[in-house]
Amino acid sequence: MPRSLLKSLSQLTGYLLPFSAYPYRGQEIACPVCGSANQTEVSRVDRRWKRLRTVGCGECGLLFTNPMPTEAELDDYYASLYRLDYQGAVVRPSARHIRKRSAQAARRVSVIKKVLAPTAVTLDFGTGSGEFILAMLEEGYDAHGFEPGGTYSSFARQQLGERIRAGRWQDMDYGPRFDLVTSFHVFEHLSDPVSAFRAAASWLKPGGLLYIEVPDAVSGFEQSGFMSLHFAHVLGFSAHSLMLAAGKAGLEPVHHANATEIVFRRAADPVELSPIARAGAQLTKDALFRRSSGDKGLSVHY
């Protein structure tokens, strides 16, 4: 067995053992979207019954892990352990994973075909094992992507070649060459979403679109409480906090496929951020209040 895999399996124990803290030091931070220090603890554990502190921002409603893992800690986790931890991928994705992601890709491509010419040049931010890129190529798009995880980026490159880069978003140097940038269930993993939005916007041609999908974490927490939380999702967006992060990068929504599945473009005028933040904070407060009213276990106070 490769030494790197033995190391990953050994590290995995720290992420699975219940009633213990995750093996990271992290640091206390202000809200990663609006910068506010006004925050309230909403949970001390996650769905594995491990100690993980989640707070809600009182100014914009974002849920986030605090202490937040450092960039170095996140880089190490996603490069070597995440796919093994959450999907059981040792050297390649499972057949079940590929079937599931292929079905998701087909749905997303059906949305894109309504708004984008089939010869457009596209980039997928965090492309995983490449099923979405393959689906886009089959429809005639000039599709590209990048992925930081070693297991999945290697698999995707074997299937799709130089269209796939291996690496972090911070290290990509594409320039404004794409008609569309997509990112599906990635931004909830990032500790600096506003900078990530700015990077994605910088890769767009004039008039280009950014198609983002993340879990609706506020709705998920209201329904399931701490069972909706886990280490990999360091941020928990509502539609408002997602729009706020994009707005701080100069982007405005042009289409809502679902609450937290939104197509953005560069705004002609500065985006008015205060109403978005206030609405997000109120939405989160209302959701967590409803949750705490019926929670007889680990109560939420907001």
Side-chain angles (χ1 to χ4, degrees):
M1 184 178 292
R3 184 173 298 177
S4 60
L5 179 55
L6 285 172
K7 179 182 177 182
S8 294
L9 289 170
S10 175
Q11 288 177 316
L12 186 59
T13 304
Y15 289 86
L16 295 177
L17 189 65
F19 308 112
S20 63
Y22 281 97
Y24 79 98
R25 296 186 64 181
Q27 56 191 15
E28 292 283 342
I29 63 166
C31 175
V33 168
C34 74
S36 173
N38 177 9
Q39 53 192 247
T40 300
E41 183 177 278
V42 299
S43 182
R44 295 182 182 179
V45 296
D46 73 352
R47 68 188 187 192
R48 289 175 168 170
W49 288 93
K50 288 183 68 68
R51 296 202 297 273
L52 185 72
R53 183 173 179 264
T54 299
V55 301
C57 176
E59 300 299 321
C60 75
L62 182 78
L63 303 181
F64 60 99
T65 301
N66 209 10
M68 176 69 71
T70 65
E71 281 297 315
E73 287 168 332
L74 287 174
D75 288 346
D76 182 62
Y77 175 71
Y78 285 112
S80 61
L81 194 59
Y82 168 62
R83 299 297 180 182
L84 178 63
D85 186 12
Y86 280 93
Q87 284 138 359
V90 179
V91 295
R92 55 169 290 157
S94 67
R96 178 177 177 274
H97 168 89
I98 292 172
R99 288 194 300 270
K100 180 179 179 180
R101 294 295 181 262
S102 296
Q104 291 172 333
R107 182 191 67 79
R108 290 161 178 160
V109 171
S110 71
V111 174
I112 290 168
K113 287 169 64 178
K114 297 175 183 177
V115 297
L116 202 64
T119 55
V121 185
T122 69
L123 175 71
D124 195 31
F125 183 133
T127 202
S129 45
E131 291 78 20
F132 176 72
I133 301 296
L134 181 59
M136 290 288 281
L137 291 171
E138 289 173 348
E139 292 293 337
Y141 294 103
D142 183 7
H144 304 259
F146 67 88
E147 166 61 34
T151 300
Y152 278 25
S153 63
S154 295
F155 178 82
R157 284 173 64 84
Q158 289 169 10
Q159 310 302 309
L160 298 161
E162 296 303 314
R163 291 181 176 277
I164 307 298
R165 290 189 187 179
R168 310 178 310 152
W169 65 268
Q170 297 96 324
D171 300 325
M172 297 298 127
D173 57 353
Y174 291 106
R177 52 178 283 203
F178 299 102
D179 300 291
L180 172 73
V181 174
T182 57
S183 188
F184 304 116
H185 289 247
V186 171
F187 272 56
E188 67 271 22
H189 299 266
L190 308 180
S191 63
D192 188 359
V194 176
S195 293
F197 267 115
R198 289 189 179 119
S202 76
W203 302 328
L204 291 172
K205 296 177 183 177
L209 299 174
L210 177 61
Y211 178 10
I212 299 286
E213 181 182 349
V214 296
D216 185 344
V218 173
S219 175
F221 191 87
E222 180 182 0
Q223 294 170 18
S224 304
F226 70 90
M227 292 302 292
S228 69
L229 304 173
H230 54 96
F231 177 78
H233 289 188
V234 295
L235 304 183
F237 291 99
S238 67
H240 297 285
S241 52
L242 185 64
M243 288 189 293
L244 182 64
K248 290 175 78 71
L251 298 162
E252 63 181 359
V254 295
H255 175 70
H256 288 253
N258 284 300
T260 51
E261 183 180 353
I262 306 174
V263 179
F264 296 93
R265 69 182 173 196
R266 280 205 180 99
D269 300 305
V271 179
E272 181 56 53
L273 301 177
S274 296
I276 302 173
R278 287 196 299 269
Q282 191 61 52
L283 176 78
T284 301
K285 287 177 181 178
D286 291 347
L288 299 188
F289 176 78
R290 289 191 295 269
R291 174 70 198 174
S292 65
S293 298
D295 193 337
K296 296 180 173 54
L298 296 165
S299 296
V300 177
H301 302 284
Y302 205 89

